[in-house]
Amino acid sequence: MHILKQPKTSRWQLLSVFGLLLTLPLHAAKVDSLDVPSTVMNRKMKAVVVLPDAYASAGKAKTTYPVLYLLHGGFGHFNDWITKTPDKTLIQRLADQHNLIIVMPEGEVFSYYLDSPVIKDSQFETYLTKEVIDKIDKTYRTIRTPKGRVITGLSMGGYGALYLATRHPDLYCAAGSMSGALNLDMNAWKLPPDATASIKAAFEKILGPFSQSPDGWASYSVVGMADKIKTNGLKLVIDCGVDDFLIEPNRELHRRLVFNQTPHDYSERPGGHTWDFWQNALPYQVLFFSKVLNGN
């Protein structure tokens, strides 16, 4: 029997083609950088907007899309979710997979997404709930009702997402938090004393001196909003790593929501306050939101 031998050059050619395929992008979502100026703060800011591939498809010019507002953490900026996840294609793939627009607005290094009573140019609650949403709805083909709008974030952004959704249930149908800093008085935060003092000083810059606060900033803590959360009836998804220094505030909110019988999805998994954990957590949250949005 005569056996034809495969030429070595062909084998290497196949390997080269296979290697090329591995380098090709597996997503087609479009990443936009959008100027979203603030009138209330008299400042210019930006947002990253990821549009699913279907958004630009021919014949779908009238199709509208739900929007996920994805907030960054403290000491970060609007492009963190695009630049700091170990998998740099994560957000694009999620936009394509679930056919939704993902908006990552600026929250600056320590705004906590609230309206500061002492700093006039730190009014991020108004900025996010009025100016950002208005700009996004006017720029893109969005579902411009609460049924097509959800919000989540990490750490400071997890706090911001639950805080804003609780105070503005007319804007969102669901909200989430990953490793959220849910009690601003910092009770049960597992941090060294010097780190606790540093973060407390940062809070005092936006909220005023803790010693002069009549309620110890309790009115700003999401943990204290459990009854309001129940009244609103929003769909909720919350998770935190068991090694995270913020695990106890998350457990406390969970306990209060269980006590007052508020439906919510709560998870604890191995991990700390890291991008590896948030990269793993986000797809679960987006799947949760996708089911809510599809149900709407």
Side-chain angles (χ1 to χ4, degrees), residues 9 50 67 74 79 85 107 142 165 203 212 234 257 270 285 291 296:
T9 53
V50 177
V67 181
N79 58 351
T85 52
T142 62
F203 276 129
Q212 296 179 19
L234 295 176
L257 294 177
Q285 294 220 345
K291 291 179 179 179
N296 291 341

Side-chain angles (χ1 to χ4, degrees), residues 144-221:
R144 301 177 184 183
T145 70
K147 291 185 177 182
R149 199 179 290 128
V150 297
I151 186 170
T152 190
L154 68 90
S155 193
M156 178 182 84
Y159 165 87
L162 294 186
Y163 178 81
L164 296 176
T166 301
R167 289 173 55 82
H168 302 273
D170 56 318
L171 295 179
Y172 313 96
C173 64
S177 170
M178 292 166 275
S179 310
L182 305 181
N183 61 335
L184 300 196
D185 59 8
M186 303 178 67
N187 285 334
W189 287 29
K190 296 179 180 179
L191 285 174
D194 56 339
T196 299
S198 177
I199 295 176
K200 183 178 180 181
F203 276 129
E204 290 190 326
K205 288 182 179 180
I206 59 172
L207 296 176
F210 183 82
S211 60
Q212 296 179 19
S213 173
D215 63 357
W217 300 337
S219 58
Y220 291 101
S221 283

